[in-house]
Amino acid sequence: MQEITLYQNYWWLLIAVLGAALVFMLFVQGGQSMLMCTRNATFRQMMVNSIGRKWELTFTTLVVFGGAFFASFPLFYSTSFGGAYWLWMLILLSFVLQAVSYEYRRKRGNLYGTATYDGFLMFNGVVGCVLLGVAVGMMFFGGSFEVVKTNLLNPGAPVISQWAPSRGLEAIICWKSLLLGVAVFFLARMQAAIYFLNNISGGDDFNAFARRQALWNGLVFVVLFVAWLVVLFTATGKRVIDGMVMDEPFLYLHNYLNMWGWGLALLGGVLAVLWGLYTAAFKGCRHSIWFTGAGTVLVVVSLFAVAGYDSTCYLPSITHPQSSLTLANSSSSLYTLKTMSVVSLFLPVVILYIIYVWRKMNAGGITPVDVAPEKHQY
Amino acid sequence: MNDLVSVVDWSRAQFALTAMYHWLFVPLTIGLALIVAVMESIYVRTGEQRWKGITKFWMTLFGINFAIGVATGIILEFEFGTNWSNYSWFVGDIFGAPLAIEGIFAFFMEATFVAVMFFGWNKFSRRAHLVCTWMVALGVSLSALWILVANAWMQNPVGMQFDPSQMRNVMDDFCAVAFNAVSMNKFFHAVASGWCLAGTFVVGVSCWLLWRRSNVDAARSSLKVGAWVGLVGIVLTIWTGDGSAVAVAKVQPMKLAAMEGLYDGKVGQELVGFGILNNDKKPGDDQQAIYAEIAIPYGLSILANHDMNSFVPGINNLVYGYELTADGDTVRTESYAEKIERGRQAREALAAYDVASAAGDTAAMTSASTAIAENFPYFGYGYLDRPEDAVPPVAITFYAFRIMVMIGGYLLLLFLLYIFVGGWRTAWLERPWLHWVGIISIPLVWICSQAGWVVAEVGRQPWVIQDLMPTNAAISDVTSVSVQITFWVFAVLFTCLLAAEISIMLRFLGRASKTDITA
């Protein structure tokens, strides 16, 4: 294996881990979308303060995910973000609204009332999850774009990545990608309910509410995700063979079978999620979030792996197949990948201090006392 | 072509809008994080409960501002992709790295420890909580470091080379990208200006409390901390501003000329202290450039080169080229017309390289590579139609520079005044005029801060990457209508959120003035 291929694969793995962490952390968005599911003000307040203390981690993971993509695979950044303009702008808009809503929702003088900010949280909870799922779906089912680097030589029309006139709207209405988006949404809601069991000491009534939410959202998620997996395994993808992009039926199924380690990761991840769902919904286990969380990470990392490894086109072009993006044709230079790899060695330190701090912060869980009016709260 | 121009203009407007809104909040975050950390340090050191109350008071204001700073920041990062996709490919190999490092090192630090700052009072020991607060202060400064490194690199593209086979630039020296003179000056200048801004904010709010005769003791204590942080901030800002001027003179002489409204430079060039620009003045004509000019002899030569007898080129000199004999040396610069020609030659050579590469003609590739290397420093000029297109908007740059410098000078005096009064003339703290000076200074410092960025960003137009890529070559394949819609959405949204932030702050201060914040 060439040295640059090694680094491209390493960075794709890091992107996959960051993407997986982001999907897991979407439980914040899932929780936001559940705020309207209860009329109990104390429940709602405990839920907001539970996920509110994590919103910035999700937000930061999204930003780092984007930054890492920019640094390691700039042609993806250039093509997808510039092309699927409306898809990404809607995602960004929803996250802008989220960022202020926690801090402002209960503050006096917030001008628009608590309900407006809760509406913003709901918007981010639904749109953020669904559209991020759609964006990931685009990595399998493609977009309508063309990359012509020589356009740079034409001052009248210099843009190298040209997208279909719908500029990302077509991805939102692609049912295959939308199916994944809706599945991600219900996954986020299920994770949120299970996280509440772990993080909120709200008494039996609250636990019953959380278990009920975990069960129903979990069931919908499982049905949607299985359906999407069937679509994925039967899909025709694109792979580079002898320098040419070729269609390959059952590509992702082949990839899972050929790279069986990732197949095991998918299987293990699915089982872990199901176990976590079962123990949360039927046993009321407080620690189920570790199973569903780890399972989610395993599944998402494996999906990224089969999307990008083994010369697979991770952003297939439907209209101009030879413009499809692969790890090889879209990455940064060897020097940059190496430099960034040194930086990535600090990631474990970052992860360790995040875990340490949050173990201390979560000790005891959120109680009704913690959301008393005299406390600093969201 | 018309749509291209429109897309470029609207994309620029959108980026300017989001950047300016972002910079309304970020310097306050940077400075208040430091001030809160200092106040909490005093609390931990002295054990006085009133300092805990004071710390929490300013921390609440920090929190209100922090969220909207984060919200406006995410747009900026992704706009490089959504609106400047060609740029993202052309230099993504270099520019992406600082953004990724920023996320890994700074944003996670902020995100983790800011929650501890607010919710960890009873979960961590006093000292551990203090460490977390300092980590927030460090995190926000580190955030600024990497994005400013990225910004500085756009103004001074170093540490890279052009790869014709990929039609993009690739990094070959990370340290040169991260730690050159331009980036370091820019970083310290921006961060110190944040301390200065937050210092003014704290002084102003403290003055307001004093004027209301509320929480007098806490207000006096806060005022002292704010004034000292502000003084350190403004001194560092002035010092690094001088460094920035020297750097600009070297790498962006056109920006310096625009800042001064200087068309025809000379040895021993004076600095315009005050003047009114002739808006009809164009490069190459013989109209007077500035009316009612009050100048400081040799000032610009000293500012730009630290040498009173040095030559500072003006806009005409740069556009049309110049020759100079000084101390027996002949200096000649190429005119922009010549640079445009060389930029076009670079582009033609790149096209020839592409054809040769496709044909597998190694000799032709080598020949084309040589031609590209010779002309690449002027690559971006090849996108310009005429030399005058490389002149930035002079009036905006000229006036913004003066606004920044004048208010900066005022702030230096302001902090000295409040330090003097707070330390040696405490009785003056009861005088209403002193309160109002502090209160009125709050909007002034924001005007100063924004003016600084206007100088930096408007003055470098039309370049996205100095000399290598103008704005019209950096854009995405989006329609003008699409960008107009998102522009107005963000304009309305950010304005509404700004109004909410100000309203929340005012309501919070109103309530605080009726309670004991140290309790």
Side-chain angles (χ1 to χ4, degrees):
Chain A
M1 188 181 282
Q2 279 188 317
E3 191 180 14
I4 190 166
T5 308
L6 192 70
Y7 280 100
Q8 285 163 344
N9 287 347
Y10 173 67
W11 268 93
W12 187 249
L13 183 65
L14 284 185
I15 296 284
V17 171
L18 279 169
L22 176 61
V23 174
F24 166 60
M25 291 299 297
L26 285 179
F27 72 76
V28 172
Q29 274 64 26
Q32 290 167 198
S33 75
M34 286 166 59
L35 293 178
M36 307 289 187
C37 294
T38 175
R39 290 181 182 170
N40 185 317
T42 306
F43 284 8
R44 195 181 300 174
Q45 199 53 23
M46 287 192 297
M47 287 157 64
V48 168
N49 279 277
S50 173
I51 52 177
R53 296 178 189 190
K54 301 288 186 300
W55 77 264
E56 230 214 314
L57 276 180
T58 311
F59 196 93
T60 302
T61 309
L62 173 63
V63 173
V64 175
F65 180 71
F69 239 132
F70 196 178
S72 51
F73 298 98
L75 191 56
F76 171 83
Y77 204 83
S78 160
T79 303
S80 174
F81 287 76
Y85 188 77
W86 286 109
L87 174 68
W88 288 108
M89 278 297 178
L90 281 168
I91 291 172
L92 293 177
L93 179 66
S94 82
F95 276 88
V96 169
L97 293 173
Q98 182 213 28
V100 292
S101 295
Y102 282 107
E103 192 62 39
Y104 289 5
R105 64 185 289 276
R106 301 249 300 174
K107 290 276 191 305
R108 294 185 189 193
N110 68 18
L111 294 183
Y112 316 114
T114 302
T116 302
Y117 292 99
D118 285 352
F120 290 164
L121 290 177
M122 170 67 95
F123 179 75
N124 173 246
V126 178
V127 171
C129 289
V130 172
L131 293 190
L132 278 174
V134 167
V136 173
M138 217 162 52
M139 293 179 148
F140 298 98
F141 306 115
S144 306
F145 65 90
E146 181 180 18
V147 178
V148 185
K149 288 178 186 168
T150 48
N151 281 355
L152 204 60
L153 303 172
N154 178 5
V159 184
I160 64 165
S161 297
Q162 306 275 341
W163 204 277
S166 45
R167 292 189 170 77
L169 290 174
E170 80 287 352
I172 300 174
I173 56 170
C174 165
W175 69 270
K176 296 174 187 172
S177 296
L178 199 57
L179 180 62
L180 178 63
V182 178
V184 168
F185 171 62
F186 281 98
L187 170 71
R189 283 171 65 90
M190 180 196 81
Q191 303 258 47
I194 295 174
Y195 179 72
F196 290 148
L197 281 172
N198 173 266
N199 191 237
I200 296 176
S201 303
D204 292 341
D205 287 349
F206 182 81
N207 285 349
F209 164 77
R211 289 168 64 178
R212 208 166 45 246
Q213 290 292 332
L215 179 63
W216 289 112
N217 285 294
L219 286 177
V220 176
F221 161 68
V222 169
V223 170
L224 292 174
F225 186 67
V226 169
W228 185 78
L229 274 184
V230 172
V231 172
L232 180 72
F233 288 160
T234 55
T236 296
K238 296 188 192 305
R239 193 196 300 277
V240 177
I241 299 170
D242 296 332
M244 294 296 289
V245 175
M246 311 289 280
D247 281 346
E248 182 176 324
F250 306 103
L251 171 71
Y252 301 105
L253 181 62
H254 289 165
N255 276 357
Y256 268 121
L257 295 174
N258 294 338
M259 298 183 280
W260 55 268
W262 294 117
L264 288 179
L266 174 72
L267 193 63
V270 169
L271 289 176
V273 170
L274 291 175
W275 177 253
L277 175 59
Y278 168 75
T279 53
F282 296 106
K283 305 279 187 188
C285 177
R286 284 179 65 98
H287 304 296
S288 302
I289 187 70
W290 298 111
F291 291 103
T292 55
T296 302
V297 169
L298 277 176
V299 169
V300 177
V301 170
S302 81
L303 285 171
F304 269 85
V306 296
Y309 287 152
D310 201 15
S311 302
T312 307
C313 299
Y314 73 85
L315 187 63
S317 171
I318 300 165
T319 45
H320 297 83
Q322 301 309 320
S323 292
S324 301
L325 302 194
T326 64
L327 301 190
N329 71 13
S330 64
S331 86
S332 284
S333 64
L334 178 61
Y335 179 88
T336 296
L337 291 176
K338 273 184 169 177
T339 306
M340 292 300 301
S341 297
V342 174
V343 173
S344 75
L345 298 178
F346 290 90
L347 268 174
V349 178
V350 175
I351 293 166
L352 280 177
Y353 77 64
I354 290 173
I355 291 171
Y356 170 76
V357 165
W358 281 108
R359 280 184 71 84
K360 297 252 327 173
M361 288 292 286
N362 283 349
I366 303 270
T367 66
V369 176
D370 288 319
V371 294
E374 70 274 12
K375 299 267 186 176
H376 184 101
Q377 59 170 304
Y378 293 124
Chain B
M1 192 71 182
N2 285 338
D3 192 55
L4 175 71
V5 173
S6 180
V7 170
V8 172
D9 287 344
W10 279 104
S11 297
R12 290 167 73 191
Q14 181 167 294
F15 202 88
L17 172 89
T18 45
M20 290 181 84
Y21 263 105
H22 188 51
W23 195 251
L24 283 177
F25 313 113
V26 168
L28 186 59
T29 296
I30 292 171
L32 264 189
L34 175 69
I35 288 172
V36 165
V38 169
M39 288 173 168
E40 192 177 337
S41 300
I42 298 172
Y43 159 61
V44 171
R45 189 159 175 224
T46 63
E48 290 179 28
Q49 283 299 310
R50 74 186 191 93
W51 275 106
K52 185 177 181 182
I54 293 170
T55 303
K56 283 190 165 183
F57 171 76
W58 293 106
M59 202 178 272
T60 303
L61 289 168
F62 169 88
I64 295 166
N65 180 71
F66 179 76
I68 193 166
V70 172
T72 48
I74 193 171
I75 299 288
L76 280 178
E77 176 186 324
F78 286 93
E79 265 179 337
F80 288 115
T82 54
N83 294 82
W84 304 101
S85 72
N86 249 23
Y87 167 86
S88 296
W89 168 247
F90 194 59
V91 294
D93 192 67
I94 307 130
F95 189 84
L99 292 192
I101 296 172
E102 179 186 39
I104 291 169
F105 283 115
F107 289 164
F108 275 124
M109 192 184 279
E110 275 182 82
T112 305
F113 292 107
V114 82
V116 180
M117 232 172 87
F118 287 106
F119 300 104
W121 286 101
N122 300 323
K123 309 244 179 188
F124 287 78
S125 69
R126 266 193 210 177
R127 287 186 185 281
H129 189 275
L130 176 63
V131 169
C132 292
T133 305
W134 276 104
M135 292 299 271
V136 172
L138 179 66
V140 295
S141 292
L142 280 179
S143 306
L145 170 66
W146 291 107
I147 190 65
L148 290 168
V149 162
N151 179 279
W153 181 84
M154 295 160 84
Q155 321 225 13
N156 178 34
V158 291
M160 54 88 177
Q161 56 180 316
F162 184 70
D163 179 355
S165 66
Q166 302 182 70
M167 295 204 181
R168 65 166 174 172
N169 294 281
V170 292
M171 183 159 59
D172 62 6
D173 186 349
F174 177 74
C175 289
V177 171
F179 305 114
N180 63 79
V182 175
S183 65
M184 288 298 100
N185 264 308
K186 190 172 270 292
F187 167 64
F188 286 108
H189 193 63
V191 169
S193 76
W195 299 351
C196 173
L197 183 140
T200 310
F201 178 77
V202 171
V203 166
V205 171
S206 301
C207 282
W208 181 78
L209 289 170
L210 290 172
W211 181 68
R212 295 283 299 258
R213 299 184 190 284
S214 160
N215 290 289
V216 171
D217 184 45
R220 287 183 173 200
S221 300
S222 299
L223 187 141
K224 282 185 192 174
V225 174
W228 274 109
V229 170
L231 181 67
V232 172
I234 193 67
V235 169
L236 270 174
T237 305
I238 291 169
W239 182 39
T240 51
D242 175 64
S244 290
V246 174
V248 165
K250 280 183 186 159
V251 301
Q252 295 172 299
M254 178 58 83
K255 182 196 280 187
L256 185 71
M259 283 158 66
E260 279 299 302
L262 176 65
Y263 281 81
D264 296 296
K266 64 181 186 199
V267 171
Q269 181 65 50
E270 64 267 21
L271 179 76
V272 178
F274 175 81
I276 299 167
L277 271 183
N278 175 3
N279 284 331
D280 296 328
K281 171 76 178 168
K282 297 279 182 286
D285 70 18
D286 54 3
Q287 292 190 61
Q288 188 176 348
I290 301 173
Y291 302 122
E293 180 179 337
I294 300 172
I296 303 165
Y298 302 101
L300 190 57
S301 287
I302 295 169
L303 183 76
N305 303 315
H306 290 176
D307 175 1
M308 64 188 294
N309 292 315
S310 64
F311 176 79
V312 181
I315 292 169
N316 287 336
N317 305 120
L318 292 163
V319 170
Y320 305 112
Y322 62 93
E323 291 184 25
L324 176 76
T325 303
D327 297 330
D329 295 324
T330 301
V331 178
R332 182 176 187 282
T333 66
E334 286 170 290
S335 69
Y336 281 2
E338 290 169 293
K339 290 182 179 180
I340 287 173
E341 184 51 36
R342 290 189 64 179
R344 288 174 181 166
Q345 285 173 16
R347 205 172 65 220
E348 286 163 11
L350 186 56
Y353 181 95
D354 189 55
V355 171
S357 175
D361 185 345
T362 314
M365 284 167 69
T366 306
S367 167
S369 289
T370 307
I372 293 167
E374 281 173 2
N375 296 300
F376 188 71
Y378 308 104
F379 186 80
Y381 287 89
Y383 290 98
L384 304 180
D385 292 329
R386 54 199 187 99
E388 290 76 13
D389 290 347
V391 179
V394 177
I396 297 174
T397 315
F398 176 85
Y399 288 118
F401 180 61
R402 261 131 213 95
I403 289 169
M404 177 186 74
V405 171
M406 284 177 191
I407 299 180
Y410 162 79
L411 291 171
L412 177 64
L413 297 176
L414 180 88
F415 294 129
L416 287 172
L417 170 69
Y418 282 103
I419 286 170
F420 174 70
V421 171
W424 294 279
R425 290 288 187 279
T426 49
W428 288 17
L429 288 172
E430 293 173 9
R431 297 184 181 179
W433 69 267
L434 203 76
H435 304 154
W436 280 103
V437 167
I439 294 166
I440 290 167
S441 298
I442 292 177
L444 288 181
V445 76
W446 257 280
I447 293 169
C448 180
S449 183
Q450 292 283 321
W453 275 108
V454 169
V455 173
E457 297 303 302
V458 175
R460 70 151 145 152
Q461 297 300 319
W463 301 113
V464 176
I465 309 157
Q466 186 68 37
D467 296 343
L468 301 182
M469 181 173 251
T471 48
N472 62 4
I475 52 161
S476 297
D477 174 39
V478 284
T479 59
S480 174
V481 174
S482 299
V483 187
Q484 285 179 50
I485 291 170
T486 50
F487 172 88
W488 287 112
V489 167
F490 289 127
V492 171
L493 178 65
F494 288 168
T495 305
C496 290
L497 294 180
L498 174 65
E501 189 207 18
I502 293 170
S503 170
I504 291 169
M505 278 195 176
L506 291 177
R507 188 69 72 90
F508 171 75
L509 290 173
R511 285 185 63 212
S513 71
K514 294 171 188 159
T515 57
D516 179 4
I517 63 172
T518 61

